[in-house]
Amino acid sequence: MPDDAPPLAGRHAIVTGGGRGIGLAVAEALASRGAVVTLMGRNENVLQTQAAELSLRFQVDVAHERVDVTDGALIEAAFQSAAARFGPAAILVNNAGIARAAPFPKTDQKFWREVIDTDLTGAFLCIGQVIAKMAASDYGRIVNIASTAGLSGYPYIAAYCAAKHGLIGLTRALAREYARTPVTVNAVCPGYTDTDIVSGAVAGISAKTGRATEAALAELIAHNPQGRLIQPSEVAETVAWLCLPSSASITGQSILVAGGELM
Ligand code: NDP
């Protein structure tokens, strides 16, 4: 690569849930640093549109694969197809996730499984597709999008908290297991971030409590000492930094992007 090449030039980055929200912002941040990107998610039209737009904006190759991260066979096919197109992944960002809220007595097994399968097992399965090849290559970055709910307990989201705590446990275990390889494994833990997840949470609080939308939003914002929602680009910049060559000694970390909500 020429000396003035962007820091991730030519590296293949796979971003799950890359069509919108934090995942799309991460894809932008990686593409802007020269990575070729595969967006993965369930909505083919959205992925196709965003891939074309990113490619045009950043002048890098961007493709997409339709995948539901709860389906092991689809994951395997999608990762094989992505590797055939752009080569093995050098970067994997496990971002696909759902946030479901319910009081614990209403958290039945179906609800529990849906959250754990998407937010924890999905990441486990995607990592399984790439980590051996990353370890045998000269470069590997895995970033798991966890949450403040991966580091502390919150009411009404027992399944989500369990999944995100599990994701941080997985991050720490793999960081140690692969420490003698070029692979780093980290988690990024956002506070309430301005995406569809927060709009959904606000709508849910309003529907359940009869409170106005503004009051429901204010309740979520009050968690953040800075008194605002985090922007997806702020999370994405932290992810991109972890993916740089210069972040090689940062592994096993859970980095909060939450305005001081937790310390
Ligand atoms: P969005 O709802 O905007 O995006 C969620 C993304 O995950 C979408 O791209 C969606 O793709 C994808 N996804 C969900 N389920 C699946 C599935 N089964 N298979 C494939 N893709 C799936 O939310 P955010 O951008 O906010 O969330 C991204 C991550 O950030 C999540 O892991 C979330 O837990 C985490 N997070 C978010 C916070 C917030 O306040 N927003 C705070 C802390 C963490 P599709 O188009 O297929 O639906």
Side-chain angles (χ1 to χ4, degrees):
M1 290 291 165
D3 281 351
D4 59 350
L8 299 178
R11 305 265 186 216
H12 180 194
I14 295 179
V15 183
T16 68
R20 58 192 168 95
I22 292 171
L24 178 59
V26 167
E28 286 173 6
L30 296 175
S32 75
R33 287 161 175 82
V36 298
V37 181
T38 302
L39 306 176
M40 291 192 182
R42 293 167 300 181
N43 188 326
E44 187 121 43
N45 287 339
V46 169
L47 294 172
Q48 199 163 21
T49 305
Q50 297 299 355
E53 220 240 303
L54 286 181
S55 183
L56 200 64
R57 251 174 84 198
F58 298 107
Q59 296 296 301
V60 292
D61 288 330
V62 183
H64 72 279
E65 295 290 342
R66 201 185 70 77
V67 72
D68 183 326
V69 297
T70 64
D71 184 325
L74 281 181
I75 290 174
E76 191 177 345
F79 276 78
Q80 277 179 7
S81 167
R85 188 184 299 109
F86 291 150
I91 295 166
L92 169 65
V93 182
N94 285 305
N95 163 80
I98 52 171
R100 296 260 186 281
F104 186 67
K106 293 198 169 154
T107 303
D108 61 18
Q109 210 172 336
K110 180 172 176 294
F111 179 110
W112 174 267
R113 284 219 172 106
E114 198 183 356
V115 176
I116 300 288
D117 285 354
T118 308
D119 293 1
L120 178 55
T121 311
F124 157 74
L125 291 172
C126 291
I127 291 169
Q129 292 296 316
V130 300
I131 198 163
K133 282 220 168 97
M134 276 183 189
S137 78
D138 65 346
Y139 204 81
R141 297 284 183 269
I142 295 173
V143 182
N144 297 318
I145 307 300
S147 167
T148 47
L151 292 166
S152 184
Y154 293 84
Y156 310 121
I157 50 168
Y160 187 72
C161 270
K164 295 297 189 181
H165 274 70
L167 189 56
I168 288 175
L170 176 65
T171 302
R172 290 173 175 164
L174 292 179
R176 284 263 162 82
E177 190 165 334
Y178 285 85
R180 297 295 178 105
T181 78
V183 182
T184 68
V185 189
N186 289 289
V188 170
C189 302
Y192 286 107
T193 304
D194 194 4
T195 70
D196 293 345
I197 279 189
V198 162
S199 325
V202 166
I205 293 169
S206 294
K208 278 175 201 152
T209 64
R211 257 177 279 164
T213 304
E214 297 72 30
L217 179 60
E219 186 184 318
L220 299 187
I221 286 176
H223 285 269
N224 180 336
Q226 292 181 337
R228 64 182 181 86
L229 292 177
I230 307 294
Q231 291 307 305
S233 59
E234 296 179 278
V235 181
E237 287 299 311
T238 302
V239 174
W241 162 66
L242 288 167
C243 293
L244 294 175
S246 53
S247 299
S249 66
I250 304 168
T251 194
Q253 302 306 301
S254 308
I255 298 178
L256 281 152
V257 183
E261 178 178 341
L262 299 177
M263 293 180 184

